[in-house]
């Protein structure tokens, strides 16, 4: 329907134009005003029909270069011939792609130029025909052409069509000696121009907002995947590394226990990843309960203590706020295991009427950890900014502290 309705409206406008002009001059003559009306009507109808034919549906538009320049697959050829032909294709492909892009741009420019000329001609013909017959249909054609110019051309090109319409109306008014009658038409042209341009800008703004929403959702899913995988995979690596050392020491029972824990972590991480990717909205446990579970997992995995202190009146926060606090604590404890092995951790959660503070602190470790450089801190800062909060991470009192402050 989105393709049929505009075509039907334009065809109806052409038919209405012809019918009205035929009624105005029921017996077209070969001289005088009747001949001028007939010729102008035919020319304007043909111009509108050409504009209608140029507005092709999307599936008939020329394809972009990355579709046009894709090489055909090489099937059922000997290996040496396939390799030789593939090398030739690879050598010639950049030149074909550049030529295709250039031809595509030239085709687009030529189409816009033809549309500009056709709209300008339709504007002049409608003004000339209106100055003779003073028909409402020709005024409608004029306004439709200005609206089409704004919606289908760039601002500079559409401004040329609008200026041509205004100048043509002023000149026609001066020649006819009745400038007051055409002043309304000039104002109507300007109004249609501004309304169509505003609608076009609003549509572009909505499209930009939709793209921003898609990018924001991608960033959110990327943070979820990173936080889940960084936590579960690092814990699995710790368990599997311990299992390898235990197997070398022929302590099979303890190694089997480590492998079992690694399997459980893999299942848990896979379940969380599926929930994040599918964006299921479930009722998660309360934040203090989730932090207690996280602290127990850290103690079991790192074999170090993890002190959890919760102060202030416990309350449920918005789901996105609780998720940001939990993921930040999860990422901070993962960094403790990776970058400060053998170091205990301390998690502090403070509730107050205006917001919530989360601090994850660990002392310096004598053991050497894995180097940093990941996206953990970047993801935590993005979460904090999206919630209107702040995040700081750095050395403090000989250790390292991650501090997240979010509004309630």
């Amino acid at each position: 329907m989105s393709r049929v309705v505009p075509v039907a409206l334009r065809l109806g406008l052409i038919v209405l134009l012809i019918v009205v002009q035929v009624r105005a001059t029921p017996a077209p003559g070969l001289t005088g005003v009747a001949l001028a009306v007939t010729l102008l009507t035919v020319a304007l109808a043909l111009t509108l029909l050409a504009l209608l034919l140029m507005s092709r549906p999307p599936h008939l538009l020329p394809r972009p270069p990355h579709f046009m320049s894709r090489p055909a697959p090489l099937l059922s050829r000997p290996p040496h011939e396939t390799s030789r032909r593939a090398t030739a294709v690879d050598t010639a492909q950049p030149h074909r792609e550049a030529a295709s892009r250039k031809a595509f741009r030239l085709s687009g420019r030529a189409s816009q130029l033809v549309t500009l000329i056709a709209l300008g001609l339709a504007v002049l013909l409608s003004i000339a025909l209106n100055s003779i017959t003073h028909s409402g249909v020709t005024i409608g054609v004029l306004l439709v052409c200005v609206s089409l110019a704004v919606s289908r051309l760039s601002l500079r090109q559409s401004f040329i069509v609008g200026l041509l319409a205004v100048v043509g109306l002023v000149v026609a008014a001066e020649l006819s000696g009745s400038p007051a009658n055409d002043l309304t038409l000039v104002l109507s042209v300007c109004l249609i121009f501004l309304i169509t341009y505003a609608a076009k800008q609003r549509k572009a703004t909505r499209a930009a907002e939709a793209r921003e929403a898609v990018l924001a959702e991608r960033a959110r899913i990327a943070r979820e995947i990173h936080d889940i995988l960084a936590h579960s995979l690092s814990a699995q690596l710790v368990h599997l590394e311990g299992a390898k050392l235990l197997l070398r020491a022929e302590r099979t029972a303890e190694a089997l226990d480590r492998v079992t824990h690694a399997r459980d972590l893999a299942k848990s991480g896979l379940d969380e990843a599926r929930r994040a990717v599918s964006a299921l909205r479930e009722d998660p446990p309360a934040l203090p309960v989730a932090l207690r579970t996280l602290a127990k997992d850290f103690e079991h995995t790192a074999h170090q203590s993890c002190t959890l202190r919760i102060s202030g009146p416990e309350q449920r926060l918005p789901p996105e706020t609780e998720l940001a606090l939990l993921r930040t604590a999860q990422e901070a404890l993962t960094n403790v295991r990776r970058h400060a092995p053998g170091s205990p951790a301390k998690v502090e959660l403070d509730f107050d009427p205006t917001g919530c503070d989360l601090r994850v602190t660990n002392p310096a470790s004598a053991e050497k950890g894995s180097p940093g450089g990941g996206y953990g801190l970047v993801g935590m800062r993005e979460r904090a900014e999206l919630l209107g909060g702040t995040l700081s991470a750095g050395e403090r009192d000989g250790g390292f502290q991650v501090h997240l402050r979010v509004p309630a």
Side-chain angles (χ1 to χ4, degrees):
M1 292 301 295
S2 62
R3 300 174 185 172
V4 173
V5 171
V7 174
L9 289 176
R10 295 173 192 175
L11 282 176
L13 183 64
I14 296 173
V15 173
L16 183 62
L17 171 68
I18 295 175
V19 170
V20 170
Q21 298 306 327
V22 167
R23 287 185 177 182
T25 55
L30 299 178
T31 59
V33 177
L35 178 61
V37 170
T38 302
L39 294 178
L40 289 174
T41 302
V42 172
L44 183 55
L46 292 177
T47 305
L48 293 176
L49 187 61
L51 283 171
L52 180 62
L53 295 177
M54 283 190 296
S55 59
R56 291 174 290 177
H59 67 279
L60 295 180
L61 293 175
R63 291 182 176 181
H66 61 275
F67 289 109
M68 297 166 57
S69 60
R70 184 175 297 171
L74 302 174
L75 302 176
S76 304
R77 296 187 181 276
H80 63 279
E81 186 177 352
T82 301
S83 176
R84 184 168 59 251
R85 289 177 62 87
T87 304
V89 168
D90 292 339
T91 304
Q93 185 173 357
H95 301 285
R96 287 203 305 271
E97 289 182 353
S100 300
R101 285 193 293 268
K102 184 177 180 180
F104 190 75
R105 288 195 297 267
L106 290 177
S107 174
R109 292 174 182 174
S111 177
Q112 285 191 345
L113 181 60
V114 172
T115 303
L116 175 62
I117 295 174
L119 285 171
L121 180 61
V123 165
L124 293 179
L125 290 173
S126 60
I127 292 174
L129 192 58
N130 179 69
S131 63
I132 299 175
T133 62
H134 300 286
S135 171
V137 179
T138 54
I139 297 173
V141 171
L142 173 63
L143 298 180
V144 167
C145 290
V146 173
S147 178
L148 283 176
V150 178
S151 60
R152 296 177 57 179
L153 300 175
S154 63
L155 179 60
R156 180 180 299 177
Q157 293 173 337
S158 60
F159 184 77
I160 294 174
V161 176
L163 184 62
L164 186 64
V166 171
V167 172
L169 288 173
V170 172
V171 172
E174 291 295 332
L175 293 178
S176 62
S178 57
N181 295 333
D182 288 338
L183 179 61
T184 305
L185 288 180
V186 173
L187 295 178
S188 300
V189 168
C190 296
L191 185 61
I192 288 295
F193 189 96
L194 294 176
I195 291 176
T196 309
Y197 182 73
K200 183 179 179 181
Q201 291 298 107
R202 185 177 181 183
K203 184 178 179 180
T205 302
R206 288 181 177 178
E209 290 176 351
R211 288 193 296 269
E212 290 294 330
V214 170
L215 293 177
E217 183 65 13
R218 287 180 179 177
R220 186 187 70 83
I221 293 176
R223 288 193 299 271
E224 290 294 317
I225 295 298
H226 172 269
D227 293 344
I228 292 169
L229 295 183
H231 171 67
S232 61
L233 291 181
S234 62
Q236 291 175 53
L237 287 175
V238 172
H239 280 298
L240 293 175
E241 186 66 25
K244 183 180 72 173
L245 297 176
L246 290 172
L247 285 175
R248 288 179 178 176
E250 298 183 354
R251 297 162 62 180
T252 310
E254 297 180 18
L256 181 60
D257 183 64
R258 290 295 187 96
V259 173
T260 302
H261 284 301
R263 183 202 61 184
D264 295 338
L265 286 170
K267 292 176 60 178
S268 176
L270 182 60
D271 292 339
E272 290 189 29
R274 286 173 177 171
R275 286 197 297 269
V277 172
S278 59
L280 294 177
R281 295 183 177 273
E282 299 179 352
D283 188 16
L287 181 60
V289 176
L291 289 178
R292 291 187 183 99
T293 304
L294 194 62
K296 291 180 181 178
D297 291 342
F298 178 85
E299 291 179 345
H300 185 75
T301 304
H303 301 285
Q304 293 291 333
S305 64
C306 182
T307 306
L308 176 62
R309 184 184 66 84
I310 300 176
S311 61
E314 296 186 9
Q315 55 182 334
R316 291 306 300 263
L317 301 173
E320 60 274 10
T321 303
E322 291 192 347
L323 181 62
L325 291 166
L326 178 61
R327 294 301 184 213
T328 300
Q330 191 178 55
E331 178 67 23
L333 292 177
T334 299
N335 289 340
V336 173
R337 284 199 303 266
R338 291 178 56 193
H339 308 311
S343 176
K346 182 179 181 181
V347 180
E348 300 174 279
L349 182 65
D350 298 328
F351 290 97
D352 60 66
T354 61
C356 186
D357 283 274
L358 174 70
R359 294 180 178 85
V360 181
T361 311
N362 66 280
S365 175
E367 302 180 27
K368 184 178 180 181
S370 59
Y375 297 96
L377 290 177
V378 175
M380 287 190 285
R381 286 196 174 93
E382 287 179 354
R383 289 182 185 275
E385 291 174 359
L386 290 175
L387 296 174
T390 58
L391 184 134
S392 61
E395 296 183 1
R396 183 180 179 87
D397 298 333
F400 194 88
Q401 184 182 83
V402 175
H403 178 207
L404 173 62
R405 170 72 182 183
V406 292

